[in-house]
Amino acid sequence: MTIWEAVAVLAAGVGAGTINTIVGSGTLITFPVLLAFGLPPVTANVSNTLGLVSGSLSGAFGYRRELAGQRRRLLRLGTTALLGGLGGAILLLALPPEAFAIVVPVLIAVALVLVVAQPALSARLRARRERSGTTAHPDGGPLLVLGLLLASAYGGYFGAAQGVIYMALMGLLLDEDLQRLNAIKNVLAAMVNGIAAVFFLFVATFDWAAVGLIALGSTLGGLLGAKIGRRLPPTALRAVIVVVGLLAIVQLLLK
């Protein structure tokens, strides 16, 4: 790796850490850069996954204030994320790279529709619960657990726009402020990246220079992303999610 390639990978790591903390989809920045510099797809994917772990952790740290009072929820949803992430990491080595090529853009598109429609859908759900005298499940119930399990499996496999899918699911099924949901999303992403990285350590080949550069860049980016993301009002945060999700769809379709 030349000095300029190293600078490019480091800069991509900063960008990925920033966008991952605010929305998700940082993989769409770092993964193509690693491919462009000659890394094989699987090596690039696993190196990217390990490198982004520190960025997810720094992003979660930046959102620590919004995590207050959510310990029980995080334990339950975090367990689901770990199981899904491990399953996705196993699938990466078992399935051909084209396996998700058709499904992923559709999945992201559905998630974006849910993100946009979430305020109206949530209002309808609240009105329905008021009429029936029921209350929302504090942890989202079985439907959220199943959705997060599948989303985390996808995250362990590749992870582009994983955060968009998380936000869509939690926004619909949890009665919470969008910033508090974003804080949960960052912790879940850290867990998925972490468990996948641990698995890959035993069975895959890494480019350690790329891992180190992405780790350094994403750590800085995670802290920066938390500063930016926490200042965005709900409407602006929702708009950023939609824009990033649409860009992710376009990039995946043009591959």
Side-chain angles (χ1 to χ4, degrees):
M1 189 180 297
T2 68
I3 182 65
W4 295 114
E5 289 174 342
V7 169
V9 173
L10 179 65
V14 173
T18 303
I19 200 67
N20 270 346
T21 301
I22 300 173
V23 183
S25 299
T27 290
L28 293 176
I29 299 175
T30 45
F31 185 67
V33 170
L34 296 181
L35 290 181
F37 293 152
L39 268 66
V42 173
T43 301
N45 198 358
V46 298
S47 299
N48 179 64
T49 296
L50 182 55
L52 289 177
V53 171
S54 61
S56 299
L57 291 173
S58 67
F61 177 78
Y63 265 91
R64 62 194 180 280
R65 190 184 308 170
E66 285 75 16
L67 290 172
Q70 301 200 78
R71 181 178 178 181
R72 177 180 175 275
R73 177 181 289 163
L74 282 171
L75 287 173
R76 181 176 184 183
L77 300 183
T79 301
T80 301
L82 287 172
L83 292 173
L86 179 59
I90 294 172
L91 288 176
L92 175 64
L93 301 181
L95 297 178
E98 301 81 12
F100 280 22
I102 298 176
V103 177
V104 171
V106 176
L107 191 64
I108 298 172
V110 171
L112 292 180
V113 171
L114 290 177
V115 168
V116 173
Q118 184 260 321
L121 292 173
S122 295
R124 289 189 179 185
L125 287 173
R126 282 195 297 270
R128 184 176 181 180
R129 286 194 293 265
E130 288 173 1
R131 288 195 301 268
S132 62
T134 59
T135 58
H137 194 290
D139 298 328
L143 187 58
L144 180 58
V145 170
L146 177 60
L148 288 181
L149 181 67
L150 296 175
S152 299
Y154 163 62
Y157 182 90
F158 182 53
Q162 174 191 0
V164 174
I165 300 170
Y166 277 161
M167 292 296 286
L169 290 169
M170 294 190 295
L172 185 61
L173 297 171
L174 290 176
D175 189 13
E176 274 287 4
D177 173 79
L178 203 60
Q179 292 289 3
R180 283 171 62 81
L181 295 182
N182 207 21
I184 299 172
K185 178 264 292 178
N186 287 324
V187 175
L188 297 182
M191 289 182 169
V192 169
N193 279 348
I195 192 66
V198 169
F199 173 76
F200 292 145
L201 283 172
F202 293 97
V203 297
T205 301
F206 291 86
D207 185 303
W208 290 104
V211 170
L213 290 167
I214 291 175
L216 176 58
S218 67
T219 300
L220 298 173
L223 296 173
L224 177 62
K227 287 184 177 294
I228 297 172
R230 293 177 68 247
R231 295 177 180 176
L232 293 176
T235 301
L237 181 57
R238 209 178 300 278
V240 171
I241 293 172
V242 171
V243 170
V244 171
L246 288 174
L247 291 174
I249 291 173
V250 171
Q251 182 168 342
L252 289 166
L253 290 176
L254 291 179
K255 275 189 173 183

